[in-house]
Amino acid sequence: MEKTNGEVLYFLLSLLLSIFLFLPISECGRAQAMFIFGDSLIDNGNNNFIPTIAKANYLPYGIDYGFPTGRFCNGLTVTDYGAKLLGLPFPVPYLSLQSKTTQILQGVNYASAAAGILDATGRHYGGRISFNGQIALFEKTVTTQLPFLIPNLIKLSDYLSSSVFVINIGSNDYINNYLLPNLYSTSREYTADAFADLLISNFERQLKSLYMLGVRKMLLVGIGPLGCIPSQLYQHNSTDGSCIEIVNKQVSLFNERLVPLLLKLNSTLQGSFFVYENIYDTFVDLVQNPASYGFKEKNQACCGSGKYGGQLSCLPLQVPCAERDAFIFWDSFHPTQAANKIVAERCYSPLATDCLPISGYMLAQL
């Protein structure tokens, strides 16, 4: 009998856990800092400093933070909550840093809205720092900035190997590349399977680059059910608010390849440990059972224009919904801080189950 995707995923993660029990993990102990790579889901201000239309440095973004910071949310992101749960400070945006500041020791956020695994992704927004670009900035941090703060090479290596690296990238390679056939040719050049293969092969090379720079503890976030976000509901003219299944199936192809990649890297990159955050199933559960999480609106953006708030994302000084904690989605693309808090707790808490084979909290303690 053919196994379902869920059964295959369970088997692979069980195998990953068995590998974990025998891995030569670094003995440096609790994470000293968090380093973040990704896109607008966790960008906390880098795009404020580059010429791009992908910005969130205006109200009502940040309305529940107290002021706009560049976060694409009404308040905190998943990694903000994750850092809090790990007892770590919020990593500062890389582009806001002075070259020799000691703030670097508390971790750095390299994430950039509109960024993707592929360099071309998001180009219609103008400036953005692709994942390759973020890795290049991290290399600069490791080779020229951190040695000034930690001159001892052994201590520097221990610092990097004990820190947690969160990588949340890939969504834009679909919603701002593959799923925009009028602007990008990828959907004509690649089948959905071939495109997922392309992303994974690039992603593997990029993760190995981070490993070569001293990174050891990596938390890789899968792609969420993009067919459920307001922008896709609007684009596909969903009549009843149901998720667009063809989109969800396409992004699932990436996730299905991500766990085997983790297995491969864990078994070949000595001293490394990779954790998978299954954000896809978490968000499907939120959308299918909103009331059980305290939400009243499952597919309507709190701040946006058009059907589902998916035609145009949150505009400057636009009046958002009043009950923001009752909405899963803040704007056309991004969750509210209420949804982000739930996602973070299901990964970064000590007994969390959505990060596998161990929680983000456990990863930080290795």
Side-chain angles (χ1 to χ4, degrees):
M1 182 181 297
E2 184 178 353
K3 291 183 180 293
T4 65
N5 288 337
E7 289 173 328
V8 172
L9 180 63
Y10 178 80
F11 170 77
L12 290 172
L13 289 171
S14 298
L15 181 58
L16 182 58
L17 179 58
S18 67
I19 292 174
F20 159 68
L21 297 175
F22 298 98
L23 275 176
I25 302 298
S26 168
E27 298 180 357
C28 300
R30 181 178 176 274
Q32 300 182 51
M34 176 186 284
F35 289 82
I36 297 170
F37 301 81
D39 53 33
S40 59
L41 290 168
I42 50 178
D43 181 354
N44 67 344
N46 280 309
N47 274 32
N48 294 349
F49 299 90
I50 59 179
T52 178
I53 60 174
K55 290 182 184 290
N57 58 345
Y58 55 84
L59 288 172
Y61 286 100
I63 188 172
D64 294 307
Y65 190 93
F67 53 91
T69 62
R71 290 169 170 83
F72 287 74
C73 186
N74 59 306
L76 299 178
T77 67
V78 172
T79 48
D80 289 330
Y81 282 114
K84 290 178 68 174
L85 289 166
L86 297 182
L88 298 171
F90 295 167
V92 293
Y94 177 84
L95 295 184
S96 71
L97 289 167
Q98 300 298 318
S99 62
K100 297 180 181 179
T101 177
T102 57
Q103 282 184 293
I104 294 174
L105 296 176
Q106 298 179 350
V108 180
N109 187 323
Y110 302 90
S112 173
I117 292 171
L118 304 179
D119 289 338
T121 289
R123 68 186 175 211
H124 59 289
Y125 283 102
R128 72 269 177 227
I129 312 168
S130 69
F131 190 28
N132 283 327
Q134 293 174 38
I135 294 171
L137 293 179
F138 176 67
E139 183 175 11
K140 180 180 177 182
T141 301
V142 172
T143 58
T144 67
Q145 295 170 300
L146 279 172
F148 176 82
L149 301 168
I150 310 176
N152 185 295
L153 292 180
I154 295 177
K155 290 183 178 180
L156 176 57
S157 177
D158 289 346
Y159 166 81
L160 290 171
S161 61
S162 69
S163 296
V164 171
F165 289 76
V166 180
I167 302 159
N168 187 352
I169 198 83
S171 295
N172 284 317
D173 292 294
Y174 285 94
I175 58 177
N176 285 310
N177 189 328
Y178 195 74
L179 299 176
L180 292 179
N182 292 332
L183 297 177
Y184 298 86
S185 61
T186 45
S187 62
R188 296 185 294 276
E189 296 171 349
Y190 299 93
T191 65
D193 277 293
F195 187 67
D197 288 337
L198 173 69
L199 293 181
I200 287 294
S201 64
N202 278 273
F203 199 41
E204 178 178 2
R205 175 183 53 77
Q206 292 161 336
L207 295 175
K208 287 180 177 178
S209 295
L210 288 175
Y211 177 83
M212 294 303 293
L213 291 169
V215 177
R216 293 297 179 267
K217 297 193 284 194
M218 298 188 223
L219 194 157
L220 308 184
V221 184
I223 299 177
L226 299 180
C228 300
I229 66 177
S231 69
Q232 289 297 310
L233 299 183
Y234 174 81
Q235 287 182 35
H236 289 266
N237 195 28
S238 175
T239 57
D240 59 0
S242 297
C243 298
I244 310 303
E245 287 308 313
I246 187 172
V247 173
N248 284 346
K249 287 179 180 178
Q250 288 171 332
V251 301
S252 293
L253 295 173
F254 176 86
N255 292 336
E256 290 168 8
R257 289 157 171 76
L258 184 54
V259 173
L261 176 61
L262 264 68
L263 286 166
K264 177 182 178 182
L265 297 180
N266 267 329
S267 62
T268 56
L269 300 182
Q270 185 176 9
S272 68
F273 192 73
F274 292 81
V275 166
Y276 171 64
E277 183 173 6
N278 182 14
I279 201 169
Y280 185 96
D281 288 343
T282 302
F283 259 94
V284 167
D285 196 33
L286 286 175
V287 171
Q288 291 181 345
N289 304 289
S292 63
Y293 293 95
F295 295 111
K296 298 178 183 178
E297 294 286 346
K298 67 178 184 179
N299 49 32
Q300 176 68 37
C302 176
C303 187
S305 304
K307 194 173 184 179
Y308 307 111
Q311 181 180 15
L312 288 174
S313 206
C314 198
L315 298 172
L317 301 181
Q318 184 173 352
V319 179
C321 64
E323 291 186 85
R324 293 180 285 278
D325 287 350
F327 284 66
I328 294 175
F329 294 101
W330 161 247
D331 63 13
S332 303
F333 302 94
H334 307 99
T336 58
Q337 76 165 2
N340 287 335
K341 185 174 187 290
I342 291 169
V343 171
E345 289 173 343
R346 293 176 62 160
C347 176
Y348 293 93
S349 299
L351 300 179
T353 57
D354 284 8
C355 276
L356 301 165
I358 59 175
S359 69
Y361 179 89
M362 292 175 65
L363 179 67
Q365 309 307 310
L366 293 178

